[in-house]
Amino acid sequence: MFPVVYARGDRTLLVTTDGDKAADIPSVLTDIAELVRVSDQVLEFELRDESLWQSAALGKTANDVLQQLKNVLSAPMPHAMQKRIWDTMSAYGQLTLDSAPQGLVRVSGTWSAAAKDLIQKYGRVAQWHNQSVYIERTFISQIKQEFFHNNIPVQDRTTVEVPRSALCGRWKAHAALRPYQQEAIDAFLNSPEPGNLIVLPCGSGKTLVGVGVLLSISTTTLIVVPNRECARQWKKTLHDDTTLAPETIGVYGETKNLSPITLVTYSTICSKRTQDETFRHLENLLQKEWGLVIYDEVHQLPAPLFRLAALLCSSRRLGLTATLVREDGRERDVYSLIGPKCYSIPWRHLERNGFLSPVRCFEVRVSWNRVEQSEYEAAPLRQKHPLAAKNPRKLAVLKRLLQHFPRDPTLILGQYVDSLRMAASMLGCPMISGSTKATERSRLYDEFRSGNIQTLILSRVGNTAIDLPSASLLVQLSGLFSSRQEEAQRLGRILRPCERKAHFFTLVSHPSIETDMALHRQRFLVEQGYPYHVLDEADELNTVIRHP
Amino acid sequence: MRIADCVVNADVRILQAIARRHQLHCPLYSKHELIQAILYAFQSPTFVETKLRESKQWEHPAWMRIAFSPNIKFPSEEVYALFQVQGFRDVAFQEVLSEGWIYPVCGRFGETFFAIPSELQMPMRHAIVDFLRSKLSYREDDPPVFHEEELCIIRDLSVFLAYVRNHEVLLTTTGSMYKRSVLKLLELFEIAEDLPEETWRFGYGRRFHDYPDRLALIYDFAYHHGLIVEENGGKLCTTSAADAWESIPPKERQRRIFQFYIRVYRRPLPRLPLIVKVLIDVAETWVASDTVLDALRPYVQSFHYDTVEDVWERRIVKMLRHLGVLRVAEKSSNDYAAQWFQISKLGLQLLLGDAALADDTERGDRILLVQPNFEILVTAANHPFMVELGRFTELKESGSLSTFRMTENRVRESLEQGHDLLRWMDQLASFSNNALPGNVESMLKYWARLYGSTATEERSDIETSPAETQ
């Protein structure tokens, strides 16, 4: 079946295929829309203003896009969608930013009343020269942000002076980039904009792409990462895979000095001693001139860090992320402060080429003992969740489950520490919770990686970007089931390439509030294109798992 | 009636006038010679075309009425009125007759008619169209942004019927749906419409005063075709005709609703059928709407609060757009100073009553895709199963690919009303392009046990089964 494309409303494009999901998707779709859901025979794309602007930035006109899209649609395009594409793309580039002498930036073009108001308010404009104004560079970020929020997509054509530094490093001989990683690096280097986003799935080697860009541009670099574990991971990659001198790399926080390549965590930047204090680390960081700023997991970038991003507008900027979807909906801030997307590749595409291991998802319904069930039924609503999560029969099911995967490196995740502790003592395996010391954590992670520990239990701290390359079995004892990001993170844990087929199990007390909550998760995973099976605990796991 | 019949029966003075007018070389005193000469001349296509092209009369609205009428015989009073009301004097009418396009003929009871010879009506239509076209502005290329609603209106009619079928839709004491239902419907419809402003609204259908234009047309159509009934208790219900409706080929349904529009709107706008007919000929390519209005102004009449422009824009162009007849490019959506429109392919089929109206879309029985996220995508606009589909699903989005969602509440409600979920699942599977996803199947079965009529027995099964297997 040739893919059939349907348009719906003003933002949704649906493609029905007969299975080969990445086959023959018309390129116009991926140019102007984001793939948001993949499910049985259907791909759903969402039209994004940001992507339309991006297309316009690459020189396409609204008419081109409309014609191309109309040619692939199976029915007339809804008027609302045509109008949106027309209006959004025509708006792009009506105003442009260009570098001007004396560190100023010239804003020029066709001014709407709204645009004039904004520039007066945020750019402190003293004088108009015909249709253009000159503003100081420091105001740019805020102006761009305000413009984007008001649907005035300005075109940033400013050039960035990258300070040349004495960094000399290259890849070590053993380091090899995968084709898509090299493509991503090239896309960034060739982009006309000073900042860009690269969208790659969890576990596809975003760090290597970041390092590749760093080596190519070779300048003072600030790398902003979500947590210390992540910082450690970056440092390790820089040490192991490149010839950069170790003294040029530092983690801010461990030392107060700013190295040519400095790693810093979100929480360090955001920390304050008192409520009223300004972000002191932020000011320290800004004392150095950074040629390149890399934001890791940019979809998680906390809002206070947008300020940092705003102040670092005169550097080249690279955002790395697995998804453009932010739970807080501030995608546009990311676009205005960092830049448009210059490269992305879908999860399933990598999976098909063997760069990611295929994952199968199972929901196992665990029944109740009579005592706990009556306790659960009698409990008030707010108590129901912990009771369902701690259903003791889950431990028995867990034990049986693990017997089916005797050799798989296994992670067990959960929401409630006491039930995790019980699991740990039952299975005799180590556990990491919030109270575990950082050194101990690192040691356990290392041992897990090296294979000395086969099974590791993680409480909520597991939900962060840590590289655990060898896990192929993930069991979720209980979860909040609330955030899509959380799910993506958990899956990211086992998505890393490995020779085994990966499995993701969720244990759900049934019947209980968990069954209903699991529906959300089920939907998200299914939408991301994972096969999802619901099992009863009584099912013969062996036959189901090996031969679905 | 052919020209030979007209000429033979005509008065000799008229024949003389025609011969003089067209400078036919023949003796004026012999009726036989006159007839011969006139027939000889008018049977030559070149002569007819030349004379039609030279005539300066096409601006006169009466000619358009005659040329575009489905009849060729008109009562004399009507024809006098056509020419007189518009300011022609009797003398002028003699001139009209001397052109040789219409002839007085005798009715069965001795009354007088005027007839246009059947072989002249079509050439005259072409001549008038050419004349009109010369006054219109055209563009060759498609505008980038335009409305093309195609079969949207019948899809939305199905949405309306499904809504009435599956929900309790109560009526106010005046017989209209409550605002909540109206808003919900408007939200589900593929084509957005706002609630009408609080103004006088009448003349365009039975419930036109209660609902926005398009919904009013959909509602009145459903009512007049017996698809819905307003029950005495103040409740709106669908009938068995509504179920059968979904089996009719889509374009046939579209044709019926289009004809219904003409029937309802011609009451306030008597020249509507004529206008629509003229549009076929003048709007094959994109044409500027205001130039068409200027050309057709004699036929577009104001109606109470609607000015001529209102009638043109809102009652004709907009409604024809909703009916899939016109593709319309709004001036606000493009960089244009004017509204443009063009007859769509579907419009031509509807207006010409084409044989092509027989369903040309391929219709397999595999019309669904059941998604593991509990959504069902439907690719066909018409299928008898659509009625059943609504029993256990909620419409989430309508369109060329409509989406229904199975929700726990909806399934529970339907089970409680005694519908058979397991049988429905079998049907679903038989119309689906893919196998039912395992998670959906097991969840539906679970709901069937939980909420079905035999829920209590089954529920004890669920409790005991794990223990048994342990």
Side-chain angles (χ1 to χ4, degrees):
Chain A
M1 189 166 77
F2 201 70
V4 187
V5 187
Y6 300 87
R8 192 153 71 187
D10 68 345
R11 58 180 62 244
T12 310
L13 291 158
L14 294 156
V15 184
T16 57
T17 67
D18 62 348
D20 191 5
K21 299 201 165 110
D24 299 326
I25 300 301
S27 63
V28 59
L29 259 68
T30 42
D31 284 349
I32 60 167
E34 287 297 319
L35 180 64
V36 287
R37 299 201 304 185
V38 183
S39 53
D40 210 6
Q41 301 190 12
V42 180
L43 302 155
E44 181 175 330
F45 290 83
E46 192 181 283
L47 211 64
R48 297 264 171 139
D49 287 351
E50 293 83 355
S51 308
L52 288 169
W53 293 334
Q54 165 79 349
S55 281
L58 294 172
K60 285 197 176 173
T61 67
N63 214 350
D64 298 341
V65 168
L66 282 166
Q67 284 310 328
Q68 286 175 16
L69 203 51
K70 280 176 185 174
N71 287 343
V72 299
L73 286 180
S74 63
M77 195 190 312
H79 184 256
M81 183 179 282
Q82 300 179 43
K83 189 157 163 44
R84 173 151 175 236
I85 293 175
W86 178 265
D87 291 348
T88 311
M89 289 189 71
S90 319
Y92 181 83
Q94 295 206 346
L95 287 176
T96 51
L97 303 178
D98 293 283
S99 300
Q102 298 163 347
L104 293 177
V105 170
R106 186 165 75 105
V107 192
S108 57
T110 318
W111 293 88
S112 62
K116 274 190 175 171
D117 286 351
L118 288 172
I119 201 89
Q120 297 284 8
K121 191 166 164 197
Y122 297 101
R124 299 179 208 170
V125 175
Q127 207 183 345
W128 285 80
H129 305 266
N130 237 339
Q131 288 299 303
S132 52
V133 291
Y134 292 86
I135 56 173
E136 280 178 41
R137 193 151 200 135
T138 45
F139 298 137
I140 285 190
S141 303
Q142 200 178 7
I143 283 171
K144 271 178 79 178
Q145 233 175 326
E146 294 296 333
F147 275 169
F148 275 98
H149 276 288
N150 288 283
N151 291 322
I152 307 170
V154 286
Q155 193 181 2
D156 188 350
R157 299 194 298 211
T158 53
T159 47
V160 169
E161 292 289 321
V162 176
R164 283 276 150 199
S165 76
L167 275 185
C168 52
R170 56 197 152 70
W171 293 107
K172 283 187 182 160
H174 67 88
L177 289 177
R178 297 180 187 153
Y180 66 88
Q181 289 169 329
Q182 190 59 53
E183 283 170 23
I185 295 168
D186 293 343
F188 179 82
L189 295 175
N190 296 331
S191 165
E193 310 252 349
N196 281 106
L197 298 176
I198 289 175
V199 184
L200 288 172
C202 298
S204 58
K206 287 193 288 291
T207 311
L208 284 178
V209 172
V211 172
V213 168
L214 187 157
L215 292 178
S216 305
I217 297 187
S218 179
T219 179
T220 48
T221 304
L222 180 67
I223 303 171
V224 188
V225 296
N227 53 49
R228 285 169 71 182
E229 194 47 43
C230 223
R232 215 175 63 96
Q233 184 59 40
W234 271 88
K235 201 169 161 186
K236 190 164 177 303
T237 309
L238 288 167
H239 273 301
D240 294 355
D241 294 343
T242 73
T243 59
L244 288 166
E247 62 275 12
T248 57
I249 307 161
V251 178
Y252 181 81
E254 288 172 8
T255 139
K256 285 274 175 283
N257 295 333
L258 297 174
S259 320
I261 297 172
T262 295
L263 289 145
V264 61
T265 65
Y266 296 171
S267 55
T268 307
I269 300 177
C270 292
S271 65
K272 295 193 250 186
R273 280 202 211 95
T274 61
Q275 186 95 53
D276 305 325
E277 192 192 47
T278 52
F279 296 106
R280 59 204 154 92
H281 296 298
L282 198 67
E283 280 152 25
N284 279 348
L285 288 170
L286 288 170
Q287 282 168 10
K288 195 172 174 79
E289 191 181 7
W290 301 106
L292 172 68
V293 186
I294 299 177
Y295 301 89
D296 194 12
E297 306 290 352
V298 76
H299 64 287
Q300 293 181 22
L301 197 69
L305 276 190
F306 287 148
R307 259 198 63 201
L308 168 80
L311 295 168
L312 289 170
C313 66
S314 47
S315 316
R316 287 213 69 172
R317 311 174 285 272
L318 168 62
L320 296 171
T321 181
T323 165
L324 286 178
V325 180
R326 284 180 66 99
E327 293 296 321
D328 61 2
R330 295 185 68 170
E331 291 90 354
R332 204 165 279 195
D333 284 316
V334 174
Y335 182 98
S336 69
L337 292 173
I338 296 168
K341 173 183 82 176
C342 69
Y343 188 82
S344 71
I345 194 166
W347 294 19
R348 290 306 285 256
H349 187 82
L350 297 182
E351 190 181 287
R352 225 169 28 149
N353 291 313
F355 293 125
L356 293 173
S357 62
V359 182
R360 294 166 65 205
C361 307
F362 296 89
E363 174 181 320
V364 184
R365 302 226 162 137
V366 181
S367 60
W368 293 90
N369 293 327
R370 285 203 181 274
V371 181
E372 276 91 17
Q373 186 170 19
S374 43
E375 191 187 340
Y376 171 82
E377 277 165 8
L381 190 60
R382 58 164 49 202
Q383 297 288 324
K384 281 192 192 290
H385 203 278
L387 283 174
K390 293 176 196 166
N391 179 1
R393 286 183 71 127
K394 283 186 176 179
L395 293 182
V397 175
L398 172 66
K399 198 168 179 183
R400 258 185 331 127
L401 193 59
L402 294 187
Q403 283 165 4
H404 288 284
F405 299 94
R407 274 181 293 279
D408 286 57
T410 304
L411 289 178
I412 298 170
L413 298 172
Q415 180 69 23
Y416 295 94
V417 180
D418 34 357
S419 67
L420 288 176
R421 214 164 265 145
M422 281 164 70
S425 66
M426 178 185 80
L427 300 168
C429 61
M431 164 175 162
I432 295 178
S433 69
S435 57
T436 314
K437 288 206 174 70
T439 47
E440 176 69 0
R441 281 185 205 188
S442 305
R443 186 185 66 79
L444 287 172
Y445 287 143
D446 284 340
E447 294 211 3
F448 185 80
R449 265 184 220 114
S450 63
N452 288 341
I453 301 177
Q454 196 206 328
T455 307
L456 189 60
I457 299 186
L458 297 174
S459 74
R460 281 204 85 181
V461 293
N463 291 338
T464 44
I466 315 154
D467 191 23
L468 294 167
S470 52
S472 67
L473 175 63
L474 185 75
V475 184
Q476 186 165 263
L477 271 186
S478 59
L480 275 180
F481 311 131
S482 50
S483 138
R484 285 180 287 173
Q485 248 181 47
E486 191 176 314
E487 293 294 344
Q489 285 294 326
R490 288 189 181 186
L491 259 196
R493 237 10 41 76
I494 48 174
L495 266 172
R496 317 286 159 134
C498 59
E499 64 282 6
R500 287 193 193 84
K501 241 190 173 161
H503 293 89
F504 177 34
F505 284 88
T506 311
L507 306 190
V508 170
S509 296
H510 180 75
S512 83
I513 195 165
E514 279 192 333
T515 325
D516 309 331
M517 304 291 244
L519 263 181
H520 289 291
R521 168 172 20 107
Q522 189 175 332
R523 196 169 291 151
F524 176 71
L525 291 176
V526 161
E527 283 163 1
Q528 291 296 329
Y530 293 99
Y532 194 96
H533 307 272
V534 179
L535 307 178
D536 273 338
E537 61 170 296
D539 283 335
E540 265 310 316
L541 282 176
N542 206 19
T543 49
V544 179
I545 294 166
R546 304 290 172 204
H547 317 281
Chain B
M1 184 165 276
R2 302 185 58 84
I3 189 164
D5 306 317
C6 297
V7 176
V8 169
N9 291 322
D11 189 293
V12 72
R13 272 170 300 177
I14 293 176
L15 300 182
Q16 287 167 342
I18 295 172
R20 265 189 232 112
R21 172 81 184 77
H22 294 299
Q23 297 168 348
L24 303 178
H25 302 292
C26 66
L28 294 177
Y29 46 83
S30 157
K31 184 169 179 185
H32 180 72
E33 299 269 348
L34 281 168
I35 291 173
Q36 291 292 332
I38 292 173
L39 283 181
Y40 181 78
F42 277 79
Q43 272 165 355
S44 145
T46 337
F47 174 85
V48 172
E49 269 170 40
T50 320
K51 293 295 171 186
L52 283 168
R53 208 172 36 240
E54 286 169 358
S55 175
K56 299 281 177 278
Q57 303 189 16
W58 306 133
E59 212 149 354
H60 198 292
W63 287 117
M64 199 189 283
R65 295 279 302 282
I66 290 166
F68 281 87
S69 169
N71 308 317
I72 54 169
K73 247 166 90 174
F74 309 88
S76 56
E77 299 80 5
E78 189 186 330
V79 177
Y80 288 137
L82 274 179
F83 282 97
Q84 271 174 358
V85 167
Q86 313 283 347
F88 273 57
R89 290 165 293 121
D90 277 1
V91 185
F93 192 67
Q94 290 309 316
E95 271 171 35
V96 168
L97 289 180
S98 74
E99 291 279 344
W101 306 124
I102 53 173
Y103 296 86
V105 291
C106 240
R108 227 183 305 162
F109 306 105
E111 70 277 40
T112 313
F113 286 90
F114 284 97
I116 174 167
S118 51
E119 59 268 65
L120 292 186
Q121 196 182 30
M122 200 43 84
M124 183 186 286
R125 205 180 277 185
H126 291 318
I128 293 176
V129 166
D130 285 344
F131 170 75
L132 284 176
R133 280 198 183 139
S134 68
K135 306 205 311 190
L136 306 179
S137 15
Y138 287 96
R139 57 176 291 143
E140 287 301 317
D141 54 328
D142 280 355
V145 180
F146 56 85
H147 292 276
E148 182 165 21
E149 300 191 8
E150 246 195 356
L151 299 170
C152 287
I153 195 156
I154 56 154
R155 287 201 289 263
D156 281 348
L157 171 60
S158 294
V159 169
F160 169 66
L161 294 175
Y163 184 81
V164 175
R165 187 182 294 125
N166 298 318
H167 296 81
E168 192 175 48
V169 181
L170 298 178
L171 301 174
T172 62
T173 46
T174 57
S176 62
M177 293 185 283
Y178 281 91
K179 195 170 165 190
R180 197 165 49 98
S181 304
V182 175
L183 287 174
K184 185 67 202 170
L185 278 170
L186 293 178
E187 187 188 312
L188 288 174
F189 278 0
E190 213 173 312
I191 303 299
E193 216 178 3
D194 292 330
L195 286 178
E197 288 167 19
E198 298 270 328
T199 51
W200 286 100
R201 284 172 65 82
F202 54 88
Y204 302 97
R206 178 171 169 273
R207 287 275 166 206
F208 183 77
H209 56 283
D210 286 324
Y211 309 124
D213 308 348
R214 185 168 176 272
L215 175 60
L217 184 71
I218 290 175
Y219 185 99
D220 287 340
F221 177 81
Y223 182 83
H224 284 286
H225 274 65
L227 308 180
I228 51 169
V229 283
E230 296 167 356
E231 288 192 344
N232 284 339
K235 203 180 140 195
L236 199 62
C237 296
T238 53
T239 63
S240 56
D243 296 354
W245 174 253
E246 305 292 340
S247 315
I248 301 173
K251 284 185 185 168
E252 172 57 23
R253 280 187 266 168
Q254 186 91 3
R255 191 184 61 81
R256 292 192 197 175
I257 194 164
F258 172 68
Q259 285 177 339
F260 178 78
Y261 158 77
I262 299 282
R263 227 168 66 211
V264 172
Y265 276 59
R266 74 180 297 175
R267 266 171 245 156
L269 316 173
R271 300 287 161 256
L272 182 63
L274 172 68
I275 294 170
V276 169
K277 234 181 242 173
V278 174
L279 287 181
I280 304 182
D281 290 319
V282 300
E284 261 173 280
T285 38
W286 288 95
V287 58
S289 173
D290 49 357
T291 59
V292 183
L293 173 60
D294 283 342
L296 295 181
R297 208 173 269 275
Y299 313 99
V300 186
Q301 291 148 0
S302 61
F303 180 73
H304 295 274
Y305 292 90
D306 282 345
T307 62
V308 170
E309 281 73 17
D310 289 340
V311 165
W312 178 247
E313 276 167 30
R314 288 162 49 195
R315 311 292 170 222
I316 299 178
V317 176
K318 195 186 86 181
M319 294 310 284
L320 288 177
R321 182 188 105 198
H322 289 326
L323 289 158
V325 174
L326 293 184
R327 310 156 101 192
V328 180
E330 301 291 354
K331 54 182 163 192
S332 57
S333 308
N334 296 279
D335 285 343
Y336 309 140
Q339 186 187 49
W340 295 81
F341 62 71
Q342 181 193 30
I343 288 263
S344 67
K345 220 168 93 188
L346 175 67
L348 278 181
Q349 291 177 347
L350 292 175
L351 292 165
L352 299 175
D354 251 7
L357 262 188
D359 201 1
D360 57 0
T361 54
E362 210 177 290
R363 198 183 99 192
D365 253 354
R366 302 283 177 176
I367 53 159
L368 311 170
L369 274 170
V370 184
Q371 297 291 289
N373 63 354
F374 294 85
E375 288 181 356
I376 302 174
L377 302 180
V378 184
T379 51
N382 68 309
H383 198 278
F385 182 62
M386 296 303 289
V387 177
E388 282 294 312
L389 183 67
R391 300 246 187 264
F392 291 95
T393 54
E394 292 274 2
L395 174 66
K396 198 183 143 208
E397 246 171 294
S398 58
S400 50
L401 184 75
S402 44
T403 309
F404 295 80
R405 178 167 265 175
M406 298 169 259
T407 63
E408 189 171 358
N409 279 341
R410 183 80 195 114
V411 171
R412 196 186 61 223
E413 272 170 30
S414 272
L415 282 168
E416 283 166 3
Q417 286 163 13
H419 294 296
D420 186 346
L421 178 60
L422 297 178
R423 208 193 57 145
W424 182 83
M425 281 167 66
D426 288 342
Q427 287 180 312
L428 190 69
S430 71
F431 292 121
S432 174
N433 232 321
N434 55 347
L436 290 197
N439 61 318
V440 171
E441 194 176 350
S442 56
M443 186 53 95
L444 287 175
K445 281 186 179 159
Y446 170 65
W447 283 335
R449 278 181 303 191
L450 198 61
Y451 304 119
S453 49
T454 52
T456 38
E457 305 152 35
E458 294 275 342
R459 216 188 297 219
S460 60
D461 275 349
I462 301 171
E463 280 172 7
T464 52
S465 63
E468 281 165 13
T469 50
Q470 277 297 298

